[in-house]
Amino acid sequence: MWVTFLEIAWKNITRRTKVMGSLFFCVLAGVFSVVLVWSSYDVSKKGTELSRVRMSADVMVYPYETELSDVSMLYSGIAQSVYMDAGIAEQLSNGYVEKVVSQFYLQTLPTEGCCTVTKEMRLVGVDWEEDVTIRSYLKEGKIDGLNMKEVVLGSNVDIEGDTTLILNMPVQIVGVLENTGTYLDDSILLSMEQLRQLAKVNFPPNYFQGRAPEELITCALVELKEGADPQKYIESIEGVEARKVLVSSTADTVQSEISVLFRLLAGAVLVILLLCIAALGSQIQSLVHSRYCEIGYLRSIGVRQSDIYKMFVIEIGAVAAAAGITASIMGLIGAEFVMEWVRQYMTLPLAGWSSQFIAVHFCGGVLTAVGISVISAVFPIFKAVGMPPQEAMTRGEI
């Protein structure tokens, strides 16, 4: 029985390519916009949530001279080398503090001293033994310490092979971090001691304003004791000459911006979807009306109403499923390009694309396509199938 329905459905689809093509593109446009915005929003939202969980620091402190915004400093790997006295780390420690960890930043030199990195990237010097949170992000294996010629890559850093040149020094890649939704994703991590040595060799003294790299840090990450009030801690270090950023407040600001942006996009998507549904309903009404005579004939020879209804559902569902599959693939690919643009120009934290994430949004797009198509078809089909055979044949097209 179902084989017969499928054969009839296929013949009707191929005989009415113009109407079926219109149905296909109506569904395609609506579902594409839904999947594109839905995927983009989820990537941004989960990126912010991921950064909240994985950014163990409560306060980030860095020089006033930094030209980047707090959001860019925290979430992007934009290469910028600014420095403050290493002694500031001691000034940040008081009764509120559990731990203060320092980092030293440099940047790659794509035109010289680096053969596999084609753009400026942030080099982060860390005390691997002390900075225990970074170690917990390793995708696999365990690294107790970074030797002088070993590096760890952030999740977005694309370097082929196990070795490369960093500032004229051959290094071995010993690990890759999981996606964190923070600046670490676009950074190359070295031991702080090694990076300071490379700074002395590759950059002139005036780059550090005549100071020795060993006396400088770029950033201090402060982890507060459990229950400590971050705002009161900020007030307690007002005398420290540096910018102080509450990580949670920055994350809240970013989440608010994401919500506002995607509410506007969701409104636009809703309008597009409603227009597509209206056009879809009109096309289905036209399709059913053109087949009144066929419906009347089938009814007159004893075909049940439910069987005729199944035949229409299979036809429309097949076209909708094909449109949904195409739209979902296009939407996911489009979201990837959109998020790459967002990551470069808006410095929002982004989550990675897991197979589960892709499967959920792909299936959601297909189900949306089939759902809106079947719902749009219910009334016209029931109306047509419920007519007496003679009336349907009389009102039908020859």
Side-chain angles (χ1 to χ4, degrees):
M1 179 68 72
W2 281 102
V3 173
T4 303
F5 285 148
L6 289 172
E7 289 177 354
I8 295 173
W10 175 250
K11 289 179 180 178
N12 281 322
I13 290 172
T14 54
R15 281 192 303 128
R16 295 175 169 85
T17 53
K18 184 176 180 180
V19 175
M20 292 301 180
S22 299
L23 289 178
F24 182 90
F25 284 108
C26 286
V27 176
L28 180 74
V31 175
F32 170 75
S33 62
V34 170
V35 174
L36 177 67
V37 174
W38 179 28
S39 302
S40 301
Y41 175 72
D42 277 356
V43 169
S44 302
K45 183 180 178 182
K46 289 179 180 178
T48 305
E49 293 171 352
L50 184 66
S51 68
R52 284 179 184 273
V53 174
R54 299 212 159 172
M55 189 68 177
S56 60
D58 297 289
V59 178
M60 192 175 192
V61 180
Y62 52 93
Y64 282 124
E65 296 82 6
T66 307
E67 297 177 358
L68 302 177
S69 66
D70 295 343
V71 172
S72 295
M73 192 70 177
L74 187 59
Y75 292 123
S76 79
I78 297 174
Q80 187 176 47
S81 302
V82 290
Y83 304 98
M84 56 189 180
D85 193 279
I88 283 181
E90 297 180 4
Q91 301 176 38
L92 298 173
S93 185
N94 58 29
Y96 293 94
V97 176
E98 181 71 31
K99 181 185 289 186
V100 178
V101 178
S102 300
Q103 295 181 346
F104 181 87
Y105 296 174
L106 270 180
Q107 62 193 47
T108 60
L109 301 175
T111 56
E112 57 178 312
C114 189
C115 62
T116 52
V117 178
T118 57
K119 62 178 181 179
E120 286 189 358
M121 299 194 70
R122 183 184 290 182
L123 299 173
V124 178
V126 299
D127 185 338
W128 191 262
E129 293 77 10
E130 195 68 23
D131 212 337
V132 292
T133 56
I134 296 180
R135 282 189 285 169
S136 67
Y137 301 153
L138 282 170
K139 279 189 175 179
E140 55 186 34
K142 181 180 179 183
I143 302 174
D144 294 324
L146 282 179
N147 295 332
M148 298 300 280
K149 292 189 177 182
E150 294 179 336
V151 300
V152 173
L153 305 182
S155 60
N156 292 332
V157 180
D158 186 18
I159 295 179
E160 296 182 1
D162 295 329
T163 60
T164 186
L165 283 180
I166 300 294
L167 298 180
N168 290 308
M169 181 185 74
V171 296
Q172 181 180 5
I173 300 167
V174 295
V176 178
L177 300 182
E178 295 178 357
N179 190 274
T180 68
T182 71
Y183 67 96
L184 293 173
D185 296 340
D186 297 277
S187 300
I188 302 174
L189 281 66
L190 301 81
S191 75
M192 190 181 299
E193 181 182 357
Q194 178 64 75
L195 192 57
R196 283 169 166 167
Q197 288 186 14
L198 291 174
K200 293 173 69 174
V201 172
N202 290 277
F203 293 84
N206 61 3
Y207 190 82
F208 305 101
Q209 298 179 347
R211 295 176 291 178
E214 294 85 352
E215 301 172 356
L216 303 173
I217 60 174
T218 301
C219 170
L221 302 173
V222 182
E223 182 182 349
L224 300 180
K225 293 179 179 178
E226 187 175 353
D229 187 335
Q231 193 58 53
K232 289 184 178 180
Y233 171 69
I234 292 291
E235 294 172 1
S236 72
I237 58 170
E238 284 183 351
V240 177
E241 294 295 323
R243 288 168 65 173
K244 302 98 178 175
V245 179
L246 278 175
V247 173
S248 60
S249 296
T250 304
D252 289 340
T253 300
V254 171
Q255 185 59 61
S256 177
E257 292 175 353
I258 291 174
S259 296
V260 171
L261 172 62
F262 281 98
R263 280 174 190 163
L264 295 174
L265 292 177
V269 167
L270 181 59
V271 172
I272 292 172
L273 191 59
L274 290 174
L275 291 174
C276 289
I277 291 174
L280 184 62
S282 175
Q283 291 296 326
I284 292 175
Q285 178 69 42
S286 175
L287 172 67
V288 174
H289 186 272
S290 68
R291 294 172 62 181
Y292 276 178
C293 191
E294 176 187 340
I295 294 170
Y297 174 75
L298 292 173
R299 288 286 312 284
S300 68
I301 62 175
V303 178
R304 293 177 299 179
Q305 294 183 18
S306 60
D307 290 339
I308 297 174
Y309 184 71
K310 289 175 186 176
M311 181 181 66
F312 275 102
V313 168
I314 291 172
E315 291 176 22
I316 295 171
V319 174
I325 290 171
T326 306
S328 297
I329 294 172
M330 291 173 59
L332 288 167
I333 294 173
E336 177 70 18
F337 282 105
V338 169
M339 289 299 96
E340 181 63 25
W341 180 85
V342 168
R343 191 170 69 86
Q344 290 182 6
Y345 296 102
M346 298 182 68
T347 62
L348 297 179
L350 304 176
W353 290 70
S354 65
S355 56
Q356 181 181 3
F357 177 92
I358 294 173
V360 167
H361 291 80
F362 175 82
C363 293
V366 175
L367 290 175
T368 300
V370 174
I372 62 175
S373 301
V374 172
I375 291 171
S376 300
V378 168
F379 178 73
I381 295 174
F382 265 124
K383 180 182 177 182
V385 172
M387 288 183 184
Q390 296 83 356
E391 181 183 351
M393 295 179 71
T394 301
R395 294 178 59 181
E397 298 176 1
I398 303 298

